[in-house]
Amino acid sequence: MPRLWRLTRNRYGRAVYDALARRGITATEMIEYVADLEDAPAADGGSRRSAYAVETCDPSTVAPLEAPVEELQSDELVVAALEDGRPRGYLFCSVDATHEIHPLERELHFEGAYIRRVFVDPDHRNRGIATALVGETCRLARERGAERATALVALDNGPSRALFERRGFDPRRRRRYVRVGPLSHRSVRPS
């Protein structure tokens, strides 16, 4: 697919999506990525040395990045990349939990780890931070008894898709949802 994410992953694309959703029109396609945590690569993400510490933290630590911590579940982890104590990226992770997936307008239960909300400050991207965040989160999830990890990524989010594929996640399913007013259609198919 051409770099569609560049057209849709900006404030203008988001404004159009939100305006249509307010009028009862929405459509999304998400790829469900799954990794067996026993086979996951080491948490360091490679041999490159980093100035970032990746660790679990209190939700308030990632507040400067405007993280949506109000949506955290009670036992969900916040994993952050810190540089001299300042957050440069974060993600959320739960184990054996049910989440409301807003773009799909449905709840899904995830056995094992569910990784979501991966974010890196734009000034610190392309430095291996997201790779390190996912790697450390997989390690932490294994410690909590998870045998696999899952992430849902929008079809148009090329950078996140590449991240999970580099970390050894396999695309297993495509989840599609379309709603126009009271009419809706859902489909799930192998990827």
Side-chain angles (χ1 to χ4, degrees), residues 7-142:
L7 297 174
T8 58
R9 294 279 163 179
N10 59 54
R11 65 182 178 176
Y12 306 110
R14 186 74 210 180
V16 169
Y17 182 90
D18 289 342
L20 289 170
R22 284 191 299 274
R23 288 168 179 72
I25 301 169
T26 187
T28 193
E29 185 165 350
M30 301 184 90
I31 299 173
E32 185 176 321
Y33 284 94
V34 178
D36 180 347
L37 293 182
E38 291 181 10
D39 297 335
D44 67 3
S47 59
R48 182 169 49 172
R49 294 189 54 99
S50 175
Y52 304 97
V54 178
E55 57 193 51
T56 59
C57 66
D58 185 84
S60 63
T61 304
V62 295
L65 297 177
E66 298 180 17
V69 296
E70 68 282 352
E71 68 184 36
L72 283 165
Q73 294 188 2
S74 62
D75 61 346
E76 200 164 11
L77 296 176
V78 176
V79 181
L82 306 171
E83 179 184 43
D84 298 324
R86 292 185 305 273
R88 300 303 187 204
Y90 66 87
L91 62 72
F92 301 158
C93 178
S94 58
V95 175
D96 296 328
T98 300
H99 286 269
E100 175 69 28
I101 310 300
H102 296 287
L104 297 174
E105 295 183 0
R106 89 170 330 161
E107 282 189 350
L108 293 175
H109 180 76
F110 297 93
E111 290 186 28
Y114 174 51
I115 298 172
R116 66 189 190 96
R117 291 287 186 179
V118 180
F119 176 82
V120 176
D121 182 295
D123 294 335
H124 295 270
R125 291 182 179 161
N126 299 313
R127 299 181 188 179
I129 294 173
T131 301
L133 284 167
V134 171
E136 176 63 8
T137 300
C138 288
R139 186 189 70 74
L140 292 167
R142 273 195 309 263

Side-chain angles (χ1 to χ4, degrees), residues 148-175:
R148 70 179 185 179
T150 303
L152 287 173
V153 181
L155 179 65
D156 67 339
N157 190 342
S160 288
R161 290 177 57 196
L163 164 68
F164 285 104
E165 288 171 12
R166 277 193 318 270
R167 287 300 309 174
F169 284 69
D170 294 318
R172 296 276 174 88
R173 294 180 203 53
R174 287 182 180 236
R175 295 178 176 273

